[in-house]
């Protein structure tokens, strides 16, 4: 019986994803990524990581950092990721991530890392003296995250595709030098995907680290603030509601949010609201957000008020992943010819 159970676990493909504990988790992150994780946990052997080591590529306040990491973990769980089904852990709890990063660093090239568009965007206009090496090396740490677990599938948004390509290149390169040591991972594009845009600048993606708080709805936002932010969301002066993301991005974004929360296509919703105004649509978007977030927040606060249970979940996650990471790390050291005692 028990061997049957472990067989099942082993035959499921491994899926890895991570979110940086910076800023606040938003409704955009839920609709674009976390919502899919909740579904995927039943089909795949899922590792969901809070990538705290990636987060320090930008200065973090040591006074609030730990609390934010815990808060992210509690939010994963409150959204429906079941720690008995999927593994939830903090990246810094598994030293193999940084160890493998070094081994990969010695096979990555300055040229390929310099070409990463995220690196170029984040450093644009900055003096070289002020650009952290961690920011440059960020994609190699991400490759280590993925390769350490012989990951098959990585759900990534458009902005992370290039990093996944680099991960694949590194895996292929290492396999070529040293023999088959890594599974070459693939991008996983979920069937249901929706990109939620900024509320004030609906042509750019909603970001959890946006300086303007009016641009996003945090998952832990209060009902009053949700109503206020949705009310102020940028729309346009055209009469009636239509779904035209190119010409009416603000209205389309509201339809996307409402559609995701009520399981309806934005185009179908547009027909339903055709004769109504922006105010009616906004009122319903706010209602849907509050209806979704209230029970989520209750679960979240329960977890944050019961620290021992949360700590236990994260300690178990760390222990499980440390065990799982070890064979790959040993295999890489061995293949590279290190004496391992
Ligand atoms: N770089 C990713 C992001 O900013 C986060 C991340 C780190 C990640 N390691 C990962 C995503 C491994 C997928 C797999 O979104």
């Amino acid at each position: 019986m028990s061997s049957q159970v472990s067989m099942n676990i082993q035959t499921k493909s491994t899926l890895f994803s991570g979110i940086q504990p910076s800023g606040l988790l938003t409704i955009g992150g839920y609709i674009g990524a976390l919502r899919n994780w909740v579904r995927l946990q039943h089909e795949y052997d899922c590792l969901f990581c809070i990538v705290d080591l990636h987060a320090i590529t930008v200065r973090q306040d040591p006074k609030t950092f730990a609390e934010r990491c815990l808060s992210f973990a509690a939010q994963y769980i409150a959204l429906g990721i079941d720690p008995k089904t999927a593994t939830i852990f903090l990246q810094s709890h598994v030293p193999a991530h940084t160890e493998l990063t070094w081994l990969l660093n010695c096979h990555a090239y300055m040229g390929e890392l310099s070409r990463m568009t995220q690196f170029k965007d984040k450093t644009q206009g900055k003096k070289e003296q002020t650009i952290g090496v961690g920011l440059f090396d960020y994609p190699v740490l991400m490759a280590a995250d993925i390769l350490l677990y012989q990951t098959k599938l990585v759900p990534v948004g458009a902005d992370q595709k290039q990093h996944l390509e680099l991960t694949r290149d590194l895996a292929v390169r290492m396999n070529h030098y040293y023999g088959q040591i890594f599974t070459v991972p693939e991008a996983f594009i979920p069937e249901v995907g929706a990109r939620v845009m900024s509320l004030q600048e609906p042509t750019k993606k909603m970001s959890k680290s946006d300086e303007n708080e009016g641009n996003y709805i945090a998952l832990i936002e209060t009902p009053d603030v949700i109503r206020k932010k949705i009310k102020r969301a940028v729309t346009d002066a055209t009469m009636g509601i239509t779904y035209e993301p190119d010409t009416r991005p603000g209205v389309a974004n509201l339809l996307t949010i409402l559609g995701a929360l009520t399981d309806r296509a934005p185009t179908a919703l547009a027909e339903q609201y055709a004769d109504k105004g922006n105010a009616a649509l906004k009122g319903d978007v706010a209602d849907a957000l509050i209806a979704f977030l209230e029970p989520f927040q209750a679960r979240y606060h329960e977890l944050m008020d019961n620290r021992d249970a949360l700590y236990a979940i994260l300690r178990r996650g760390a222990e499980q992943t440390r065990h799982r990471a070890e064979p790959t790390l040993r295999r890489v050291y061995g293949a590279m010819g290190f004496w391992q005692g």
Side-chain angles (χ1 to χ4, degrees), residues 222-253:
T222 61
D224 282 355
V225 176
I226 292 173
R227 284 197 198 286
K228 215 177 288 165
K229 285 186 176 182
I230 294 296
K231 209 173 203 169
R232 290 191 191 142
V234 165
T235 48
D236 56 57
T238 308
M239 294 281 281
I241 301 295
T242 52
Y243 181 71
E244 293 169 272
D246 291 339
T247 49
R248 308 187 66 191
V251 173
N253 193 34

